[in-house]
Amino acid sequence: MSKTCGRAISVIGFIGSVFSPWYGWTGRRAPENHVCMNVATYGPGGRFTMTDRGNSALRQTRDRLTVGPSNMHWRDGRLVIDIDEIGAPPVISPVRGRVTLIPKAITGVEMPLTSDGAHVWRPFAPTCDIHVDLNRPGWKWTGHGYFDANFGTRALEQDFDYWTWGRYPVAGGSTCFYDARRQDGTDLACAVHFGDDGSARVFAAPPKTPFRRSLWMVRRETRSDPGYEPRQVQNMLDAPFYSRSSVLTRIDGEETTGVHEALDLRRFRSPLLKPVLACRVPRRTHWTFAQAVPPDS
């Protein structure tokens, strides 16, 4: 997220493209046959890419994930993401460039989201500097970023009805809130402060506070000091089952703007939703690498 120009970017490398209708229609078999480098940019000239690719597009090494023409790799303590994708309708155009994340520190935190460990959250680098350089005017900027991963052995909608997540930069690091309603009726409620040195401290979460629903009327709430009313600063991604936005809240007396997500998995279970998603998530089964993937350099 840029601190000055009102722009933001999200990049997700999927092995088993969780929100792909094509993956869902297979019964979530063969995740390596549904891979994706999802890129979404927010602000003036924002675009969205989410091409579901077959297993011929996937290559992995210890330090590199390659999905067709795009890749992310570690180099000298930085996560470098090289993007070469095509935007989805209505803005069909190349999305190319490089994003570099420079972590303040790498954490050792890993948190199971269910009692049996079927879903795990891994916040690798909750506080990063980010450098963005894409192929559009105004899309060269710096700001603050975040790097995490989620792993699972079951579909999200099998175990959860609803969740929200938020990451907020604060003095000395970042604070994350992870709240979820599981299908078995239990709740997840986690508040963690991550220091710039990679330390992690679980603390008593401030109250869960609702704020305005998304354009698709997805219910939204986040954590804030008692009596404070969070509000959306920037709409990022709005889908019938999902909202991503920039939200202003107050934590321990400090006002902060961070990224917030809300996911309604009851809506996502609807079979009527998948044909709609297919309009935004094209399927490309075959991919041929023109040459060997270059070594990290």
Side-chain angles (χ1 to χ4, degrees):
M1 180 187 298
S2 168
K3 298 178 182 178
T4 58
C5 68
R7 290 176 166 87
I9 187 169
S10 167
V11 182
I12 307 174
F14 285 105
I15 301 178
S17 191
V18 176
F19 302 117
S20 164
W22 313 99
Y23 188 35
W25 283 323
T26 70
R28 303 290 175 83
R29 296 186 299 271
E32 69 282 355
N33 197 38
H34 294 273
V35 296
C36 175
M37 197 71 76
N38 170 223
V39 182
T41 62
Y42 313 110
R47 293 172 290 171
F48 178 86
T49 82
M50 195 171 184
T51 301
D52 183 310
R53 301 185 187 274
N55 54 18
S56 59
L58 175 64
R59 291 190 178 180
Q60 297 180 80
T61 67
R62 181 179 180 274
D63 296 317
R64 178 186 290 264
L65 170 66
T66 299
V67 179
S70 301
N71 74 83
M72 53 178 68
H73 60 275
W74 286 103
R75 186 174 71 201
D76 300 327
R78 303 180 175 201
L79 181 65
V80 180
I81 307 169
D82 290 318
I83 299 164
D84 187 358
E85 299 289 332
I86 299 294
V91 185
I92 302 174
S93 63
V95 181
R96 297 190 180 107
R98 172 171 285 187
V99 177
T100 305
L101 278 172
I102 307 170
K104 298 287 187 183
I106 302 295
T107 77
V109 174
E110 187 171 281
M111 187 179 82
L113 303 178
T114 54
S115 59
D116 62 357
H119 303 272
V120 175
W121 175 50
R122 178 69 168 89
F124 285 101
T127 308
C128 303
D129 293 325
I130 184 172
H131 298 262
V132 177
D133 188 0
L134 301 182
N135 63 327
R136 284 292 186 273
W139 280 93
K140 186 173 184 177
W141 49 267
T142 60
H144 59 79
Y146 169 91
F147 173 50
D148 74 351
N150 284 274
F151 308 94
T153 57
R154 289 194 297 265
L156 291 174
E157 63 270 24
Q158 283 185 254
D159 291 315
F160 298 96
D161 281 336
Y162 174 80
W163 82 19
T164 65
W165 171 91
R167 176 264 181 190
Y168 299 96
V170 294
S174 300
T175 291
C176 291
F177 300 118
Y178 219 137
D179 292 280
R181 181 69 172 178
R182 302 185 185 99
Q183 273 206 280
D184 64 6
T186 61
D187 291 311
L188 168 71
C190 182
V192 189
H193 173 78
F194 295 97
D196 283 340
D197 60 356
S199 61
R201 175 177 57 87
V202 176
F203 66 99
K208 192 185 297 183
T209 309
F211 60 101
R212 182 177 294 180
R213 288 176 178 252
S214 71
L215 294 175
W216 280 97
M217 298 302 292
V218 173
R219 176 169 62 92
R220 297 189 293 182
E221 57 196 22
T222 191
R223 301 284 180 168
S224 66
D225 288 350
Y228 188 88
E229 296 184 6
R231 63 179 177 88
Q232 176 181 290
V233 174
Q234 182 182 21
N235 181 37
M236 292 181 174
L237 186 59
D238 212 314
F241 62 96
Y242 177 78
S243 165
R244 180 184 293 143
S245 56
S246 173
V247 169
L248 176 69
T249 189
R250 189 174 68 196
I251 305 168
D252 197 22
E254 181 181 352
E255 279 198 326
T256 174
T257 299
V259 175
H260 176 273
E261 297 177 335
L263 176 61
D264 188 332
L265 288 150
R266 292 162 298 189
R267 291 189 182 185
F268 185 66
R269 290 186 200 114
S270 170
L272 300 177
L273 189 63
K274 289 181 174 60
V276 176
L277 291 176
C279 298
R280 294 274 278 171
V281 184
R283 170 74 171 157
R284 300 289 181 265
T285 306
H286 301 291
W287 177 264
T288 301
F289 287 99
Q291 56 187 12
V293 174
D296 299 337
S297 60

